[in-house]
Amino acid sequence: MKNKIPKIKYQKSKWRFILFSLCLLLSTFYFIREVNSQMKIKLPKPRSSGGMSLSETLNKRKSWRSFSSEALKLEEVSQILWSAGGKRLDAVSGATRTYPSAGATYPLEIYLLVGKGGVEGLEEGIYLYLWDENSLEKISSSDVRRDLAFACLGQTFISQAPISVIIAAEYVRTTGYYGQRGIRYVHMEVGNVTQNLHLVAEELGLATVIVGAFSDEKVKRVLGLPNNLEPLTVMPLGYKK
Ligand SMILES: Cc1cc2nc3c(=O)[nH]c(=O)nc-3n(C[C@H](O)[C@H](O)[C@H](O)COP(=O)(O)O)c2cc1C
């Protein structure tokens, strides 16, 4: 009898402790979720019809290397990123994107670099494009356009463009499935995305060019890319000058 009372007390406090830990865990989870959602920037809904005809866009497309410093609108940035690799608007089940991917392995990530005053209503910095929700996740807050131009072997026009889109790949997502041949598939895929970017830029009356000449290590450092990602192309964008 003497021994039983402390045991009940112990069990009660054990349950209190478990309940308290659960509450703490839940509130931490909701706090992190709230902070994360506040760090995300929802982009305006992109347009999926209208605009210039495809033949006209193809005929007009060319590489542009001089950019006006005029700020882009958030709607334009949304249209650019969605066209590059966003979710197809009618993709109800098994969501696909605006470009094809070998075995739907989707090895590419799209980064946006924004210069100071480069986009109306968007601070300078580096962002990751979240394709499935058409939002941006902020990675850092500095204007690193000059560092990026330097990393691209001194191609100074990159520092004059208000924004740059950088495509990076995690090869293993595709090579894990297709072996060495997956490398070829990743490179084909980045070609799809860059052509999308070229065409949407032309449709919006913007200038762009594919930049492939850069130091991988320096671009990785400037963007703070995680080790699993390799930068494949840089595309500065802005109004034509
Ligand atoms: C894979 C690839 C890499 C390229 N790299 C660069 C580059 O680093 N710098 C640059 O100014 N242009 C670069 N270009 C653009 C080409 O110079 C350009 O597409 C070519 O001169 C044809 O001109 P057009 O695009 O106006 O038709 C690259 C193009 C491709 C496809």
Side-chain angles (χ1 to χ4, degrees):
M1 198 58 181
K2 257 184 195 174
N3 286 342
K4 270 190 180 170
I5 298 164
K7 199 172 174 190
I8 291 168
K9 263 191 178 169
Y10 165 75
Q11 279 183 344
K12 261 190 179 173
S13 59
K14 189 174 99 180
W15 280 111
R16 264 195 213 126
F17 176 73
I18 290 173
L19 209 69
F20 173 74
S21 309
L22 264 173
C23 287
L24 197 70
L25 211 72
L26 267 174
S27 43
T28 313
F29 170 76
Y30 282 112
F31 175 72
I32 292 173
R33 211 174 69 159
E34 186 59 26
V35 168
N36 273 345
S37 73
Q38 276 172 13
M39 280 169 70
K40 281 185 195 168
I41 299 144
K42 187 88 188 135
L43 292 169
K45 194 174 173 193
R47 162 177 59 73
S48 61
S49 61
M52 196 185 280
S53 83
L54 177 62
S55 345
E56 200 179 339
T57 322
L58 284 167
N59 197 42
K60 280 194 164 169
R61 185 220 63 84
K62 68 177 205 127
S63 299
W64 282 85
R65 296 178 184 82
S66 51
F67 303 89
S68 144
S69 57
E70 190 181 339
L72 296 178
K73 291 170 189 66
L74 205 53
E75 286 77 13
E76 290 169 326
V77 171
S78 175
Q79 197 65 30
I80 290 166
L81 294 171
W82 174 77
S83 306
K87 183 173 169 176
R88 290 195 307 112
L89 297 184
D90 61 348
V92 178
S93 60
T96 63
R97 308 189 199 183
T98 53
Y99 63 96
S101 173
T105 50
Y106 296 107
L108 305 179
E109 296 294 342
I110 299 174
Y111 283 84
L112 173 72
L113 189 153
V114 178
K116 195 169 172 53
V119 180
E120 286 172 12
L122 191 62
E123 285 172 3
E124 68 268 29
I126 300 167
Y127 300 84
L128 175 67
Y129 178 58
L130 306 173
W131 70 275
D132 56 339
E133 42 187 285
N134 201 50
S135 342
L136 293 172
E137 186 183 308
K138 196 161 196 181
I139 309 280
S140 86
S141 299
S142 340
D143 180 347
V144 292
R145 286 178 297 170
R146 283 170 68 122
D147 302 316
L148 184 67
F150 180 69
C152 296
L153 317 183
Q155 302 191 65
T156 44
F157 56 82
I158 294 169
S159 61
Q160 280 138 24
I163 65 165
S164 278
V165 173
I166 299 98
I167 318 292
E170 185 178 37
Y171 282 92
V172 75
R173 292 184 205 166
T174 310
T175 55
Y177 202 69
Y178 292 107
Q180 284 302 100
R181 198 169 179 82
I183 295 173
R184 183 190 293 217
Y185 293 161
V186 174
H187 295 162
M188 288 176 178
E189 210 164 306
V190 81
N192 301 331
V193 175
T194 50
Q195 181 71 350
N196 284 0
L197 280 163
H198 247 309
L199 296 178
V200 70
E202 207 52 68
E203 190 205 26
L204 297 173
L206 303 175
T208 193
V209 58
I210 296 176
V211 171
F214 53 77
S215 150
D216 295 351
E217 279 318 304
K218 284 183 186 157
V219 169
K220 273 179 107 161
R221 217 173 311 134
V222 171
L223 293 175
L225 288 185
N227 280 337
N228 54 326
L229 288 178
E230 291 299 328
L232 294 180
T233 56
V234 172
M235 289 184 73
L237 289 120
Y239 287 108
K240 293 171 183 171
K241 191 174 166 186

